Amino acid sequence: MNALEKPASSATAWRGVIHAYASYLPVTAATPIVTLNEGNTPLIKVDNFVRAIGGDFELYLKYEGLNPTCSFKDRGMTLAVSKAKERGASAVICASTGNTSAAAAAYASRAGLKCVVILPNGKIAMGKLAQALMYGATTIAIEGNFDEALRIVRELGETGKVEVVNSINPDRIEGQKTAAFEICDVLARAPDFHFLPVGNAGNITAYWKGFREYHLVGKADRLPRLFGFQAAGAAPIVDGHPIADPQTIATAIRIGNPASWQSALDAASESRGHIGKVTDDEILHAYRLIARSEGVFVEPACAAALAGLIRCVHNKLIPTGSVITATMTGHGLKDPDTAIQSAGIQPVVVRANTAAVMEVIGL
Ligand SMILES: *Cc1c(COP(=O)(O)O)cnc(C)c1O
């Protein structure tokens, strides 16, 4: 065996975030752990991108698209569904811009629970809809937006007949904080800054909780400043009021009245961070740039965090030599329509002969 190789034995095999971080989570030996071996996602250093945006720092992307349902939602869902099962629930329900429904449906299948997902009709990326249907969830598309879907889910939750697995469920936040732990474990320190997109604001809440807990037990040497970004057409936290009709190409963060609004503000202020907004044009620019400079394909919402970083670089807010991490919340293949529409290139169709192909290549 080559010295670079390490055998995958049962002792080293990754068994998901609950097994990895049980002592930090509300689980006991009696908790039935429902896992798809989520977590342990790559932390990718992206020097080409940093150079392209004129920065002089280290940037690492926490590539959450490599979770089992291709978004970070799996981290919260493993815990939320495990705890629902422990409490004897028979059904879980969520409102979703797409990724929560994909994760809920997958983990519910794994647990043998019924799953109901409520989506804004026509505003779900194609890959996410495919997932909910394929995992067999009862899929309801309302003629309304995410905020209206969440209101309905809250009301159904109050009947006590279904377990709500949106991020208003504290188990979701607990599970999601494990991403902050993984970053610190891999870097052997905490970053100076952490960037992420903000929608319903559960994730920024979870990261801040995770970084603080790791700092408290001495596993993180500092507390990062958290920089969260909303899309300009769906920026209630930045604008200071709910948005009745939020609009953005980044459907995962198309939310006008975030459930974790106050805790997002707390995370930003306590960490000396910031919550800002970026336009859809800035999002699409960053979306293409990260794919073309680094081979990292993310869904548009992730690019809001990168667009926010680009703004910070332009405004000279990032000291030279900083260590920065950013969450790439979901996989680019979730939303193939936006990718194909905004790539700016099309396949070139030619006759099936070598000369015709040569002509296109320009050789
Ligand atoms: C859910 C989601 C977000 C937003 O996370 P919140 O916790 O709602 O702020 C961002 N990006 C993607 C891809 C998501 O699925």
Side-chain angles (χ1 to χ4, degrees), residues 230-302:
Q230 304 193 292
I237 299 177
V238 181
D239 295 348
H241 55 82
I243 307 294
D245 186 23
Q247 295 297 343
T248 169
I249 190 145
T251 51
I253 52 172
R254 185 173 169 269
I255 293 177
N257 192 10
S260 299
W261 188 319
Q262 187 54 47
S263 54
L265 285 173
D266 293 346
S269 68
E270 289 170 19
S271 75
R272 296 181 302 116
H274 175 70
I275 296 185
K277 59 180 177 180
V278 288
T279 66
D280 277 10
D281 281 348
E282 290 176 277
I283 289 172
L284 289 172
H285 168 74
Y287 175 59
R288 283 185 292 261
L289 185 59
I290 195 63
R292 288 177 192 181
S293 63
E294 297 287 1
V296 174
F297 185 21
V298 298
E299 64 172 286
C302 314

Side-chain angles (χ1 to χ4, degrees), residues 70-73 97-100 128 146 167 172-173 176 196-205 252-253 255 258 299-302 328-331 334:
C70 308
S71 88
F72 76 85
K73 299 296 198 303
T97 60
N99 282 332
T100 299
K128 305 176 188 182
F146 171 84
S167 57
R172 280 277 310 281
I173 306 292
Q176 284 170 209
L196 76 175
V198 173
N200 214 22
N203 215 27
I204 190 169
T205 303
I253 52 172
I255 293 177
E299 64 172 286
C302 314
M328 296 296 103
T329 44
H331 200 291
K334 290 270 194 178

Side-chain angles (χ1 to χ4, degrees), residues 295-357:
V296 174
F297 185 21
V298 298
E299 64 172 286
C302 314
L306 297 174
L309 175 61
I310 293 171
R311 276 207 182 184
C312 289
V313 170
H314 289 168
N315 294 336
K316 307 209 180 324
L317 293 175
I318 312 287
T320 298
S322 297
V323 171
I324 304 179
T325 51
T327 313
M328 296 296 103
T329 44
H331 200 291
L333 288 172
K334 290 270 194 178
D335 191 354
D337 297 316
T338 302
I340 290 168
Q341 278 162 28
S342 58
I345 25 183
Q346 298 278 318
V348 182
V349 182
V350 298
R351 294 180 314 283
N353 68 57
T354 310
V357 173

